[in-house]
Amino acid sequence: MLDDAGLQALREAARLSPDNLPLRRHLAEQLLAKGYLAEAETEYRATLLLSPKDPDITAGLAEAFVRQSSHGAALSALEPFLSTPGYPPRLGILAARALLGEGDVAGAAHRYHDAVSRDSSLADPDLAARLAPQPATPYPSGAHPGTAPPHNASAPAGAEDREVEHSGVTFADVAGMEAVKEALRVKLLLPVQQPELFAAFGKRAGGGVLLYGPPGAGKTHLARAAAGELGASFVNVGLADILDMYIGSSERNLRATFEMARRNRPCVLFFDEVDALAARRSDMRQAHTRQLVNQFLAELDGVDENANEGVLVLAATNAPWYIDVAFRRPGRFDQLVFVPPPDAAARAAILRILCRNKPLAEMDFDAVARTTDGFVGADLKGVVDRAVETKLHQSISAGRPIPLTTNDLLAAAQAMRPTAVREWLSTARNYVLHANDSGAWDELIPWIKAKR
Ligand code: ADP
């Protein structure tokens, strides 16, 4: 792999020869290999315009998407191939990873097995294990608690295998959310950027932040941007990375994850869907699940006060009320930050960011924002991806880039059903009205009132 100077030279060369396909393809591959995922995505997109329908470039683009958890975009990129019989099996594996990311286990299993039946060298035991039917409880009916996993047979995606990203995304890529960004700046960034100031006031860096809000509102995007803003590595942990059916394995995975973050400091360690790992112990019927929560608390506290230095723990949940209050003590997730659904101005800003670097006609983002009430960031990304997809097809037929227009976005928005923000707010309302003794959900009150 190239070192950073080599990569910089390659970027420069590509800038000077934007039409040199092999050069740009090589740059995209290197960016992907080094984990500069957002930049790799941009480069692959540009390369694909030079050589539309190239399976290798499409595979690179899809991989960049999957590793950024943009599963829908990965599937859109792969779609022209997947509908053709005999498509390259490697693309099927990527489709399986994207489908799994979207929660479509059956679809993922179908793609995976089809791909491996045509090219057995693509077999991926970790992926296959995640496609096997999952038990409803942490133990399968045939396995006994305490059974050690058969050697190598079910080792989950070990922390070592997981990707450490070097995020190119910063707060400049996060539209709106000024209050949220400011809270993260004070909590996460300033103590690291200006340690003397904090020391003067006797404050230490530390403690994590729990981001909560409706799905798709941009929690993962924010966490990734915080890492980029800090120049820290980014470890994105999903449930499938930790939960394992064998007793003790989930705890081991959790420990290995924290250790990986400590080895890569400064690091932002991000837990998505954390409510499943940090649920109220009183809600749990089984002792082993409580052990996982205890292990999580122990890792957050660290063996000594320096254990987690340089490791900033962020977590996201759509259901913060299920989280054990022990997680909210000082030094743990001691700050709750609400990531709201975007208002019209924020939607226009998100659209502007999402359309950056794309060929555009004169755009009226405000008009699109006005017609997308109830859309969250993820929905708007879907709108832009869909409009771009249509434009890409038209550009390929025309043999030149045709710019995106306001009408393209309006048409794509009309064809989309947004995420259920309203339903989320009505669930939230119950907790705010009936279980807000500690005032933890005060930030939500204005939103709940506005939606009534
Ligand atoms: P969540 O983690 O809350 O479910 P994500 O962070 O996965 O949501 O958001 C999905 C996508 O929506 C992101 O990858 C990003 O492209 C887009 N997005 C969301 N919020 C914003 C924002 N404020 N600015 C720019 N893009 C956003």
Side-chain angles (χ1 to χ4, degrees):
M1 214 192 292
L2 278 182
D3 60 14
D4 282 347
L7 189 61
Q8 197 44 38
L10 201 55
R11 282 191 185 107
E12 190 54 21
R15 196 178 62 77
L16 294 172
S17 312
D19 295 330
N20 184 331
L21 176 62
L23 180 66
R24 296 203 69 170
R25 180 197 289 249
H26 184 53
L27 171 59
E29 287 164 2
Q30 291 295 322
L31 289 167
L32 186 63
K34 288 181 79 79
Y36 294 108
L37 300 178
E39 197 185 346
E41 176 196 323
T42 309
E43 199 53 35
Y44 272 118
R45 278 180 193 274
T47 314
L48 202 57
L49 279 178
L50 296 176
S51 179
K53 280 220 145 200
D54 180 310
D56 291 331
I57 300 173
T58 305
L61 179 61
E63 181 164 347
F65 280 135
V66 168
R67 285 170 55 186
Q68 294 176 91
S69 304
S70 298
H71 301 115
L75 291 168
S76 305
L78 293 168
E79 186 48 42
F81 288 94
L82 299 181
S83 46
T84 326
Y87 62 87
R90 186 158 69 75
L91 301 184
I93 299 285
L94 283 162
R97 286 167 61 192
L99 287 163
L100 191 61
E102 296 225 304
D104 179 358
V105 182
H110 167 74
R111 289 291 177 195
Y112 176 81
H113 293 301
D114 174 58
V116 172
S117 71
R118 290 191 286 131
D119 181 350
S120 59
S121 71
L122 293 171
D124 174 344
D126 286 341
L127 181 57
R130 292 167 61 197
L131 297 173
Q134 294 294 313
T137 66
Y139 296 117
S141 52
H144 302 292
T147 317
H151 189 59
N152 273 346
S154 128
E160 271 61 41
D161 306 332
R162 211 172 310 126
E163 314 288 345
V164 177
E165 286 177 37
H166 295 278
S167 161
V169 182
T170 67
F171 281 164
D173 301 290
V174 180
M177 302 201 202
E178 292 313 323
V180 179
K181 285 193 264 186
E182 193 48 35
L184 288 180
R185 251 187 218 112
V186 172
K187 175 76 187 170
L188 300 180
L189 308 182
L190 290 181
V192 179
Q193 287 166 349
Q194 300 190 18
E196 333 69 49
L197 196 66
F198 273 70
F201 285 96
K203 279 193 78 89
R204 293 172 46 86
V209 175
L210 179 66
L211 303 168
Y212 71 98
K219 299 180 289 296
T220 310
H221 189 56
L222 256 174
R224 185 173 272 119
E229 195 76 21
L230 262 179
S233 41
F234 182 65
V235 175
N236 188 353
V237 189
L239 277 186
D241 299 317
I242 301 292
L243 292 185
D244 190 89
M245 61 176 114
Y246 292 101
I247 203 160
S249 294
S250 302
E251 287 85 342
R252 263 197 300 283
N253 291 341
L254 194 59
R255 193 174 323 128
T257 299
F258 270 87
E259 275 160 15
M260 178 170 69
R262 291 174 191 132
R263 275 198 306 279
N264 286 284
R265 49 185 127 207
C267 179
V268 170
L269 177 56
F270 175 67
F271 289 92
D272 204 0
E273 298 177 277
V274 75
D275 43 292
L277 295 178
R280 282 195 297 243
R281 283 165 290 184
S282 56
D283 289 352
M284 293 175 181
R285 275 173 294 133
Q286 287 164 316
H288 56 266
T289 337
R290 284 201 290 274
Q291 273 162 24
L292 181 60
V293 171
N294 289 336
Q295 171 79 28
F296 199 175
L297 291 169
E299 292 296 341
L300 286 170
D301 293 344
V303 279
D304 59 60
E305 62 171 19
N306 295 327
N308 289 337
E309 194 150 329
V311 177
L312 303 171
V313 188
L314 289 180
T317 175
N318 307 330
W321 22 83
Y322 292 141
I323 290 185
D324 197 302
V325 284
F327 280 93
R328 289 202 238 128
R329 302 226 176 96
R332 296 171 179 171
F333 295 114
D334 48 19
Q335 189 156 351
L336 296 180
V337 173
F338 176 46
V339 180
D343 59 14
R347 290 196 297 275
I350 293 176
L351 286 165
R352 202 164 283 121
I353 285 189
L354 291 171
C355 289
R356 226 172 23 187
N357 304 328
K358 303 198 187 334
L360 297 179
E362 196 171 321
M363 302 297 283
D364 184 352
F365 290 116
D366 293 324
V368 184
R370 278 195 297 278
T371 61
T372 46
D373 187 30
F375 281 56
V376 289
D379 301 325
L380 296 171
K381 185 159 192 313
V383 167
V384 173
D385 285 345
R386 188 186 279 245
V388 163
E389 204 59 38
T390 315
K391 238 34 228 192
L392 211 55
H393 286 297
Q394 291 174 5
S395 302
I396 290 166
S397 323
R400 65 187 161 81
I402 302 181
L404 203 63
T405 64
T406 307
N407 276 341
D408 293 327
L409 292 183
L410 289 170
Q414 266 226 310
M416 262 198 62
R417 263 168 56 95
T419 310
V421 172
R422 251 168 231 287
E423 285 79 346
W424 187 87
L425 281 169
S426 70
T427 308
R429 185 167 176 266
N430 291 331
Y431 288 92
V432 172
L433 296 183
H434 306 299
N436 192 26
D437 301 340
S438 58
W441 318 124
D442 283 355
E443 252 189 305
L444 276 174
I445 292 173
W447 289 88
I448 306 292
K449 291 203 169 131
K451 287 284 159 188
R452 261 196 290 175

